[in-house]
Amino acid sequence: MAVAAITDNYAGERLDRVENFHGNQVIYIGWDYHLMFCAPVAFAISPDTPFDRLLEELIPGAYSQHPEFERIDWDSVQWILNGEAFTPELDASLAAQGIDHKSILRFNTPGLGGIQGSGS
Amino acid sequence: MSPKKLSLKEKYSLLTRDLEWEYSYRDYKEIFPQEEFEGIKITDWSKWEDPFRLTMDAYWKYQAEKEKKLYAIFDAFAQNNGQLNVADARYVNAVKLFLTGVSPLEYQAYSGFAQVGRQFGGVGARVACQMQSLDELRHVQTQIHAMSHYNKFFDGLSEFNHMHDRVWYLSVPKSFFDDARSAGPFEYMVAIGFSFEYVLTNLLFVPFMSGAAYNGDMATVTFGFSAQSDEARHMTLGLEIIKFLLEQHPDNVPIVQRWINKWFWRGTRVLTLVAMMMDYMLPNRVMSWKEAFEVYFEEAGGALFKDLARYGIEMPVYAETAIAEKEHLSHQAWSIFYNYTHAAAFHTWMPNEREMDWLSEKYPNTFDRYYRARFEHWREMERAGERFYNPTLPMLCQTCQIPMGFTEMDNPTLIAYRQSVFQGERYNFCSDGCKDIFDHEPQKYVQSWLPVHQIFQGNCGGAEMEDVLAGYYRMNLGTDNLDFHGSPDEQRWNHWHNLQTAAEQMKKAS
């Protein structure tokens, strides 16, 4: 709906347009049922980044303090992109597989229920 | 012969309603250009009932008397080193949160009521807004004076106003008020006058002030007492605006209902900060957040909405979610701040054993099941010399701007994710409430100044976290931030109390 405003056709400036991120885009990553990390995490990275780099750098950098991190079986991880099941192509770029600006990429690690099974 | 003295009634009339005049050479719409655009219909301003029978000269007199008493206590507090008598130094972090997060809102309220008061065609509403505006200015000043004494002895207080405009978690209360103040005058009144000052005030103001009372903070609690009669007036104004709008025209009902839905939800999200303060930051606890929510929202709010039902107003649409969240809110909020204390201007800590047991007792349905194992793990990491700090910036909700730490109420270990696409761009939210607010007025919320995105865009002092925290936020790193254990606040506190003990020993020995 339109904003009730004192001027006609009021429009706001979109503060987080992808052009404002100096060639990067924002992506969010969340590890389901591991709330020791209180919220999903945010990165500003190039849309040309291959998916591999998430696995090798960004995800370990964000989550390796968790005692279950070492036990993740990456072959059985279930990925969810913006709410839909997703199968990543490791060599392809984020942009090439539809991981666009402000996308949410979640991963679920079956068998790992967080600290003492508490979802933490 | 001396002039005849006016009766109270004459004086009241002359000094309030009689301040109005007939507009003879300008059009009403030119004078009050903001009265119609929100769709609210006012048919007769004379039906406005003044919520408080107070004239300006009486107002000054009462306030001056209160002020004299208040500042006498502040002086006594300072001269007697009142800071030494708080429960323990952890308590002062609640003061830091209040001064950085809430006191600047008083200033925003002052400005807001002054601005919207000007826009009302009815003189009764204008006078009421003027007085509330002055009250709010008084509150920000007296709060700063009440808490300034702590600034001499504790870290994290000195840049409170600068921080309010910049720091990531303070964007939560700041954007709440910015949202209200950039709305029209009637929405502002429903947002701040009614939803905040009437429905939710007992969950904001009372917990901080009774927290101060229970924890030996004489300065802050005396401010609380001094503000109490002002707050009572604000509640009457909040109720009057709602009744007036609903009685003026039936077309106003759905608009007001939508505003109540929106501002109840915006308000409960801001109160997340209060929830964690009550359950985690007070060494002497008053009551749990859950208990406070039951008393002040479910019981008192329930009765209020029963009363408003005759106008066709219903409970806020997200009330059920908020009621379910009372079991989780404080624990999830404390987790967020424990994760990111390295980027905050106050300290956090893990509850001790006795405090954990209190949480288990107060939250029998949730604490042991969902939170205790996490907290014990963090405590073990700290004991091993590896206190946990989250190394990556969090994702924020587009509307409330809080890190996305809230979970689904039917699956409390799963983060709640909501998303909208507007003009080809994705927007993410923590809840149905925040998503619906965005979807109704996307052109407003695409402008959200999200601190994490602003850092990524290079607008917060630089690319390194130190540039942001020390430079842009003006935090003193290593003193204002990090865990309470090992902080200079803690060291000084222990030092003072050992000194006292040593001095007593000397006295006894001589």
Side-chain angles (χ1 to χ4, degrees):
Chain A
M1 270 193 63
V3 175
I6 40 178
T7 50
D8 292 334
N9 304 315
Y10 175 84
E13 185 195 344
R14 292 187 291 128
L15 248 57
D16 292 327
R17 296 191 319 273
V18 70
E19 299 80 47
N20 294 355
F21 290 86
H22 313 290
N24 289 330
Q25 67 171 43
V26 175
I27 67 161
Y28 308 108
I29 296 180
W31 183 7
D32 283 356
Y33 303 111
H34 288 77
L35 294 175
M36 172 169 146
F37 305 92
C38 62
V41 291
F43 298 96
I45 51 171
S46 164
D48 301 329
T49 308
F51 196 91
D52 257 351
R53 225 196 108 206
L54 303 187
L55 295 179
E56 283 159 17
E57 286 176 41
L58 302 188
I59 290 177
Y63 292 116
S64 62
Q65 292 180 80
H66 198 286
E68 288 182 340
F69 187 78
E70 290 299 314
R71 290 167 47 205
I72 297 175
D73 170 12
W74 290 100
D75 294 332
S76 72
V77 161
Q78 296 157 350
W79 296 93
I80 301 162
L81 176 64
N82 295 315
E84 307 281 338
F86 174 72
T87 308
E89 291 174 50
L90 300 185
D91 301 336
S93 71
L94 302 181
Q97 50 197 316
I99 305 174
D100 54 11
H101 184 44
K102 295 199 275 175
S103 278
I104 302 168
L105 184 66
R106 288 159 53 190
F107 62 103
N108 188 355
T109 49
L112 301 179
I115 298 158
Q116 292 177 37
S118 69
S120 290
Chain B
M1 209 178 104
S2 59
K4 181 176 166 274
K5 212 175 169 199
L6 292 171
S7 77
L8 267 180
K9 205 175 164 192
E10 286 169 318
K11 193 167 129 185
Y12 180 75
S13 161
L14 286 169
L15 289 179
T16 55
R17 295 296 177 103
D18 199 51
L19 296 173
E20 183 69 311
W21 65 88
E22 295 291 321
Y23 309 114
S24 54
Y25 59 93
R26 286 286 185 188
D27 186 53
Y28 183 89
K29 285 185 184 176
E30 261 185 306
I31 302 169
F32 300 106
Q34 294 187 19
E35 210 177 276
E36 285 181 359
F37 79 89
E38 297 171 273
I40 288 290
K41 292 175 181 158
I42 304 296
T43 54
D44 184 1
W45 271 111
S46 75
K47 293 281 186 335
W48 171 274
E49 284 184 39
D50 292 355
F52 20 91
R53 301 257 152 189
L54 197 58
T55 55
M56 218 52 223
D57 59 333
Y59 176 84
W60 293 128
K61 197 173 141 229
Y62 292 141
Q63 299 300 72
E65 279 168 17
K66 287 197 289 186
E67 214 87 324
K68 258 189 236 162
K69 288 181 198 158
L70 178 62
Y71 280 84
I73 305 263
F74 288 172
D75 285 347
F77 179 76
Q79 285 164 17
N80 291 303
N81 284 314
Q83 80 282 356
L84 294 174
N85 298 328
V86 298
D88 74 47
R90 291 180 305 169
Y91 164 73
V92 181
N93 292 287
V95 174
K96 297 175 193 179
L97 185 62
F98 193 87
L99 188 67
T100 53
V102 181
S103 299
L105 300 186
E106 306 272 13
Y107 188 81
Q108 289 235 50
Y110 144 72
S111 186
F113 278 100
Q115 192 223 333
V116 301
R118 165 63 184 85
Q119 298 302 329
F120 294 134
V123 65
R126 289 209 298 275
V127 171
C129 285
Q130 181 192 25
M131 282 181 193
Q132 177 152 0
S133 172
L134 291 167
D135 280 349
E136 305 290 3
L137 187 59
R138 167 174 190 259
H139 292 178
V140 65
Q141 288 175 339
T142 44
Q143 281 168 20
I144 292 166
H145 290 150
M147 297 175 195
S148 64
H149 183 70
Y150 290 105
N151 184 42
K152 298 176 193 165
F153 302 97
F154 296 90
D155 297 314
L157 294 144
S158 59
E159 293 287 354
F160 72 95
N161 205 32
H162 177 87
M163 286 181 179
H164 185 75
D165 288 337
R166 298 184 177 208
V167 175
W168 59 278
Y169 54 93
L170 299 173
S171 79
V172 175
K174 178 185 163 64
S175 62
F176 170 90
F177 246 94
D178 286 347
D179 188 351
R181 287 184 54 201
S182 54
F186 291 111
E187 183 176 348
Y188 176 87
M189 289 302 285
V190 172
I192 305 303
F194 176 70
S195 303
F196 203 60
E197 297 273 349
Y198 193 90
V199 184
L200 298 174
T201 187
N202 285 330
L203 287 167
L204 174 72
F205 198 68
V206 177
F208 271 107
M209 295 310 139
S210 40
Y214 271 57
N215 288 278
D217 178 0
M218 185 58 78
T220 306
V221 75
T222 310
F223 159 76
F225 281 127
S226 183
Q228 217 163 32
S229 49
D230 301 345
E231 296 295 340
R233 271 203 308 277
H234 303 171
M235 290 182 78
T236 355
L237 175 55
L239 200 56
E240 173 57 24
I241 188 76
I242 280 292
K243 291 191 167 167
F244 178 71
L245 291 181
L246 296 173
E247 281 168 7
Q248 282 290 303
H249 203 286
D251 289 357
N252 294 344
V253 176
I255 302 175
V256 169
Q257 178 75 58
R258 190 171 51 71
W259 286 339
I260 290 175
N261 293 345
K262 170 182 171 181
W263 288 99
F264 167 77
W265 186 253
R266 294 286 271 126
T268 54
R269 277 292 181 250
V270 170
L271 292 179
T272 301
L273 297 172
V274 185
M276 73 164 194
M277 187 280 295
M278 289 184 79
D279 285 344
Y280 287 91
M281 299 176 79
L282 297 179
N284 297 329
R285 281 145 170 85
V286 180
M287 56 164 75
S288 69
W289 167 255
K290 180 174 167 233
E291 288 165 327
F293 196 79
E294 284 165 355
V295 173
Y296 295 119
F297 180 69
E298 291 179 59
E299 287 173 30
L304 167 71
F305 281 98
K306 215 174 262 177
D307 189 40
L308 292 175
R310 66 193 152 107
Y311 298 109
I313 290 292
E314 294 166 3
M315 276 290 262
V317 72
Y318 313 108
E320 269 179 47
T321 310
I323 290 168
E325 283 188 350
K326 74 186 175 189
E327 297 267 10
H328 299 276
L329 200 65
S330 65
H331 319 306
Q332 295 180 350
W334 193 241
S335 292
I336 292 172
F337 282 91
Y338 191 84
N339 266 241
Y340 292 107
T341 303
H342 48 312
F346 62 90
H347 304 298
T348 59
W349 53 88
M350 270 299 106
N352 62 32
E353 207 49 53
R354 186 177 52 82
E355 291 164 342
M356 291 261 204
D357 290 346
W358 182 87
L359 290 161
S360 299
E361 183 200 321
K362 293 293 182 185
Y363 293 93
N365 304 323
T366 51
F367 186 73
D368 285 353
R369 187 165 170 200
Y370 299 114
Y371 302 101
R372 186 182 267 271
R374 184 190 311 174
F375 289 1
E376 286 176 350
H377 179 71
W378 280 339
R379 206 166 54 185
E380 277 161 32
M381 287 179 76
E382 186 191 342
R383 281 182 187 148
E386 291 169 358
R387 200 278 195 196
F388 173 67
Y389 293 107
N390 193 322
T392 322
L393 295 178
M395 174 183 184
L396 307 178
C397 170
Q398 183 79 21
T399 304
C400 71
Q401 309 199 3
I402 301 176
M404 296 262 301
F406 303 108
T407 58
E408 300 286 2
M409 283 303 104
D410 56 4
N411 186 355
T413 51
L414 189 65
I415 296 281
Y417 292 94
R418 300 291 182 275
Q419 194 176 69
S420 294
V421 175
F422 176 68
Q423 293 183 341
E425 187 174 330
R426 294 180 196 281
Y427 294 90
N428 296 295
F429 312 95
C430 69
S431 55
D432 293 328
C434 283
K435 175 177 156 58
D436 290 350
I437 290 165
F438 176 94
D439 287 345
H440 186 76
E441 293 183 308
Q443 290 287 7
K444 185 168 195 178
Y445 300 96
V446 297
Q447 302 170 73
S448 295
W449 193 92
L450 298 180
V452 169
H453 293 177
Q454 291 299 315
I455 292 169
F456 287 156
Q457 290 181 28
N459 298 333
C460 300
E464 299 300 321
M465 280 319 288
E466 196 174 332
D467 301 330
V468 176
L469 300 175
Y472 189 70
Y473 290 174
R474 294 193 195 158
M475 279 177 195
N476 294 309
L477 298 182
T479 53
D480 292 351
N481 61 344
L482 304 178
D483 199 281
F484 175 74
H485 297 297
S487 68
D489 268 8
E490 184 196 43
Q491 286 163 13
R492 276 190 300 268
W493 179 261
N494 291 341
H495 180 61
W496 297 332
H497 287 271
N498 291 339
L499 267 185
Q500 270 197 332
T501 316
E504 278 164 17
Q505 283 169 349
M506 288 278 284
K507 209 174 168 186
K508 274 181 198 161
S510 63

